[in-house]
Structures are given as C-alpha cells and as structure tokens.
Amino acid sequence: MAERRIQLPLSAEDLAGLRAGESVLLNGPLLTGRDAAHKRLFAAVQAGNELPVELKGETIYYVGPCPTMPGRIIGSAGPTTSSRMDSYTPALLKLGLKGMVGKGQRSQDVIDAMVKYQAVYWAALGGAGALIANSIVKAEVLAYPDLGPEAIYRLEVRDLPVIVAIDSLGNDLYQMGRKEYARLSSGVGGPVF
Amino acid sequence: MREIAAERITNVVADLCRESNINLGEDISRSLEKALAREESPVGRECLRGIIDNAKLARAEGLPVCQDTGMAVVFVEYGQEVIIKGGDFLEAINEGVRRGYCEGYLRKSVVNDPLQRVNSGDNCPAVVQVEIVSGATFRITVAPKGFGSENQSRLGMLTPAQGREGVRQFIVETVSLAGANPCPPLVVGVGVGGTMEMAALLAKKALLRELGTENPDPFWAEFEAELLEEINDLGIGPQGLGGRNTALAVHINPYPTHIAGLPVAVNISCHVTRHKSAEL
C-alpha cells in the first residue's frame, strides 16, 4: 500500500519527481470526463470556443459513476479505459492539463505529448468502483449535465490509491511490467500493443 | 401447460440485475484468492488485494462492484410447456431491467442508437437470448456485460487448414492485443464452430461456466489448460501492469461446423465477470 501522498493540483516539483511504478495516494480536487465530454471539449478547442472548465494545472479522472444512493456522496466510481480518450488528449495537454487518471495503455502520441507538455498518467484500479467511491469526499456536476454519468464533475478525493503508469519522462509501466514478466514460450510471444 | 405470470418474470429479472452487480460470484472470488497466492509481481499483488477488497466492500455496503454495470444480457431457458400470462415476454424482461437498474442505482449505459448515441435512460433494451427446451422449466440468467472488456473481443473466420494451431494463435493474439484494457485478470470465453453468430453466442455462454470446473470433453479440457498457461506467460498481469495472472480461466464451447469453415469467437471478460440465475 502506498504511503506517499500527492496533493492536487499537482505541483511542478511533484510532477517531475513521480516515476512509473510508484504507488501514491491522491488528495484534492479532480475533474471527471470520459468519451462524450472529451468529444465536446475537443470540438470546442477546434472551434476556438471557450471551454466550460479551466484545464490549466488540472487532473482529469476518466470515470462515469453509478447514480448516488441516498446518504452517499457518489455511486461506484472506478476508471474507464483511457485509450478511448487518446485522440483528444494531446490537445488538452497543450492547454495545460497536468494529470490523468484512468486504466490501460496510452498511444505513443499521448506519451509524446506528455513529455512535451509535462504531465503524468496514473492507473487507478479498474473494476474497483466501490473501493474508489469511498475515497471520494465531494462530488458536484460542473458542466454538461445533460450527459448524465458522462457529465463533467468536480470531485474531491482523499487518499485515492493510484500507480504512476506513465511518467513525465515517458516511462511506461505497461510496457516495462509486461516485458519483465513475459515468458516467450508462446508462438505469438512478447509485448504487442 | 404451466402458467407463469409476466409480473413474476419482471420481479425476478429486477432482483437478478441488482444481485449480479453487487455480489460477485463465490467461484470468481475463490479464483482471485488463488491468483493472489501465486502472483509474483509486487504491483500485481497490490492490484489483486485491491480487487478482492473491493468485492468484499461492495457486498458489505450493497454497492455495485464496478461502475460499469453493463448492458444486461439475459439468457432464458424457456420450457416448451410454459405459457406466459398477463403480459408480453420481452417487455416483461425489459421492465425487469428497467426496474433493477433504476431502483438499484445501477448505471444506465445504453444508447438508443449506435451512431446517434442518446442514452436510453433506463438501460433498456436488454440483449435477450432464448433457448427453447423440453419440459416446464423456466430459468433466467442475467449477465451484465461491461464494455471495457467487451470492446476487446474478436471474431475470426478461420479456414479448416488453420486447425487447432490457428485457433490457439487467434485466442492468444486476441488477449495479447487487448493488453491492459479489459481489466485483467480475465475470464476468456471462446466459441469454436457453428456459424458466425453461433460462435459469438457460444463464446458469451462460455463466460457463464463456473470457474474451477473442467471442460467435460478431455480434448477441450487439455486445450483450455494449455491456452491458460500460454496466456499467463504473456506477462500482462493484473491490471496489465505486469505479472503472472493475466487470465483466471479459458472456457471453450465447441459446436459442429461446415466442411469449409472454422469460426472462432473470443469474448473477453474482466475480473468482474457477473452472472446470476433463478429458476421460476
């Protein structure tokens, strides 16, 4: 279990020091956004329109939570597959997005943009919706309420456990980890991304 | 003829939607504990501990295990001596899904058109698979399917010459290409034979088999064991961050096929492989 706490918004010092493979606990404000919200944000950037949220210095969590049960802050809220956001991500990194939380590997374009604009990508535990919901202490809809579970929320998290999957140098734990544990007995063999 | 009230079908489906999303099956829980015991990667062990804790927490607090509460796939074994009274069969099932998802605070993840993409608001319609069977039994299985893993599934129309080796390669390649995306450790459901759509249905049904049970046919049991080992040798590991446990099981359903063909479908499922059944 991680012991190092990272305060959001992410400082330049923390960002520069994070390395792929490190487990940390996130604390502070996050934005949420997944497929439909990314599509709209990207369209707004392309059209030169003002965005409904400021992305500079922010961290986006790729999540579409369950509806909130009475007496709770949020429903189950684990990460969704990040690669579906890949085509939109470099444009958001250019606007100053510093952190992303999701699950699964990213494209080389995203990794290159992360190095260029300095950002980090954390893996949250995919499928652990109940566990992660308990790390969320505040949730409110910030933009695109018509998108339901796909709306942009402002979340406040306390000790959200994540692992640095890709750091600001472009080190990628998905490739490193797989290479370390692969046994090349199979005819297909080796990492394929 | 035996009569079953449509309302009863609705109530059972609603209960199964909630229960399957909140209470992970004992078989998969046991399998995850075994995976933890043999995992070599420290990051992999950390992920597996989190996955196990999450399932326990979901059960204790009545929360969905995963926020992707899926598209509801409903299997019905419909005894030919049964008549449904007081309503339409498909509507009875969809009303059950509607109630289960809306009253159970489950996420509504269905869009009403694949290209126009407006959320239907009630997780309907379900995907309903009916099998007419003899007698007066009526058995319903609800298997909510998340799309993180569904998206990584593949279908191949192989040639007879490609044979066992071609099927082996196609299955391992599918898991390899999926990598971290489908939330490993996985359950890999495979359909071999039949026609195109039959292979896909067989693969989906293979996900319903209890984990830890062997294929009744020794030929296919051996093939499953070989594939599981090879998939775990890929090194993808829990959450794709590297490790020994990429899959918990490979389940294959074979079926007779045409002299000219060898269809193979691979339905990838995550560590939250859910299904609950009830006999009416």
Side-chain angles (χ1 to χ4, degrees):
Chain A
M1 190 64 184
E3 283 179 11
R4 183 171 168 204
R5 292 190 163 81
I6 294 289
Q7 185 62 44
L8 300 174
L10 191 58
S11 71
E13 298 73 49
D14 281 344
L15 172 64
L18 290 167
R19 285 293 166 267
E22 189 181 355
S23 297
V24 298
L25 300 166
L26 296 184
N27 285 270
L30 288 169
L31 292 173
T32 74
R34 48 172 292 157
D35 308 54
H38 271 77
K39 192 175 177 183
R40 284 196 194 174
L41 288 173
F42 186 72
V45 172
Q46 297 287 86
N49 296 334
E50 197 183 336
L51 301 185
V53 291
E54 171 66 64
L55 292 178
K56 203 169 160 45
E58 286 284 356
T59 294
I60 290 191
Y61 179 24
Y62 304 137
V63 62
C66 280
T68 310
M69 288 183 188
R72 287 196 160 266
I73 290 157
I74 197 167
S76 291
T80 195
T81 309
S82 308
S83 59
R84 292 197 315 274
M85 270 43 86
D86 281 357
S87 57
Y88 308 120
T89 299
L92 305 189
L93 291 169
K94 194 177 174 188
L95 289 177
L97 182 70
K98 286 293 159 202
M100 296 162 285
V101 181
K103 69 168 174 89
Q105 56 264 18
R106 308 305 301 262
S107 68
Q108 195 56 50
D109 281 352
V110 169
I111 298 174
D112 292 345
M114 286 174 63
V115 175
K116 183 173 178 187
Y117 301 113
Q118 287 296 288
V120 63
Y121 169 55
W122 284 290
L125 196 53
L131 202 66
I132 291 171
N134 278 8
S135 298
I136 298 169
V137 294
K138 207 173 149 193
E140 58 186 19
V141 175
L142 205 62
Y144 307 147
D146 61 298
L147 293 180
E150 294 206 68
I152 295 180
Y153 285 69
R154 166 65 75 198
L155 300 183
E156 183 87 24
V157 295
R158 191 175 295 154
D159 288 347
L160 172 68
V162 293
I163 299 168
V164 179
I166 304 172
D167 62 31
S168 58
L169 298 177
N171 297 309
D172 182 352
L173 182 61
Y174 290 109
Q175 290 184 37
M176 291 152 53
R178 186 166 173 175
K179 212 168 281 175
E180 189 178 345
Y181 289 94
R183 290 174 176 149
L184 298 178
S185 63
S186 73
V188 178
V192 179
F193 289 101
Chain B
M1 296 297 276
R2 179 183 168 217
E3 291 183 1
I4 295 178
E7 178 66 18
R8 194 166 157 223
I9 294 172
T10 295
N11 291 337
V12 166
V13 168
D15 285 346
L16 292 174
C17 288
R18 283 186 293 255
E19 207 190 312
S20 58
N21 273 298
I22 292 167
N23 297 322
L24 195 64
E26 296 290 341
D27 58 336
I28 200 153
S29 296
R30 277 195 301 272
S31 185
L32 286 164
E33 293 283 358
K34 280 188 195 158
L36 175 59
R38 67 171 173 255
E39 182 54 60
E40 294 166 19
S41 151
V43 172
R45 280 200 298 272
E46 187 181 326
C47 290
L48 287 168
R49 272 193 292 267
I51 286 167
I52 291 165
D53 288 350
N54 178 66
K56 287 179 184 162
L57 184 74
R59 187 183 292 267
E61 301 197 2
L63 291 168
V65 178
C66 176
Q67 76 293 332
D68 186 353
T69 49
M71 190 163 193
V73 182
V74 182
F75 293 92
V76 181
E77 284 173 43
Y78 193 146
Q80 63 185 25
E81 290 163 28
V82 171
I83 294 179
I84 293 163
K85 288 281 186 182
D88 175 73
F89 165 70
L90 270 183
E91 183 43 37
I93 288 175
N94 278 315
E95 181 58 23
V97 169
R98 193 171 289 125
R99 278 192 214 164
Y101 277 74
C102 292
E103 293 169 13
Y105 297 91
L106 306 177
R107 196 181 76 183
K108 273 63 82 178
S109 309
V110 173
V111 291
N112 63 355
D113 180 282
L115 289 180
Q116 298 174 77
R117 307 197 77 83
V118 177
N119 197 302
S120 68
D122 56 8
N123 222 50
C124 288
V127 172
V128 184
Q129 305 289 358
V130 184
E131 191 181 349
I132 306 288
V133 297
S134 61
T137 59
F138 197 88
R139 186 178 161 84
I140 303 176
T141 298
V142 174
K145 189 62 169 73
F147 262 55
S149 58
E150 193 73 355
N151 281 338
Q152 307 301 322
S153 305
R154 288 205 306 168
L155 178 88
M157 300 304 283
L158 309 189
T159 61
Q162 287 176 278
R164 188 184 191 274
E165 174 57 19
V167 171
R168 181 195 68 77
Q169 199 158 339
F170 185 79
I171 295 167
V172 177
E173 186 184 81
T174 300
V175 175
S176 181
L177 287 168
N181 286 335
C183 284
L186 311 172
V187 179
V188 182
V190 182
V192 184
T195 47
M196 185 193 79
E197 84 289 357
M198 183 64 174
L201 184 58
L202 290 167
K204 180 73 78 201
K205 281 187 175 171
L207 298 175
L208 304 177
R209 197 169 102 202
E210 191 178 326
L211 265 69
T213 58
E214 256 197 6
N215 195 307
D217 182 330
F219 172 85
W220 290 98
E222 190 195 326
F223 196 18
E224 287 178 1
E226 179 188 322
L227 281 161
L228 181 62
E229 192 179 329
E230 198 174 332
I231 284 168
N232 284 331
D233 282 352
L234 290 171
I236 295 167
Q239 296 292 306
L241 297 169
R244 283 276 85 84
N245 293 279
T246 302
L248 301 172
V250 178
H251 291 172
I252 306 178
N253 278 334
Y255 195 81
T257 191
H258 189 278
I259 48 173
L262 178 52
V264 52
V266 183
N267 197 188
I268 302 281
S269 192
C270 58
H271 62 81
V272 191
T273 295
R274 296 156 285 195
H275 51 89
K276 283 279 188 304
S277 305
E279 196 103 32
L280 268 69

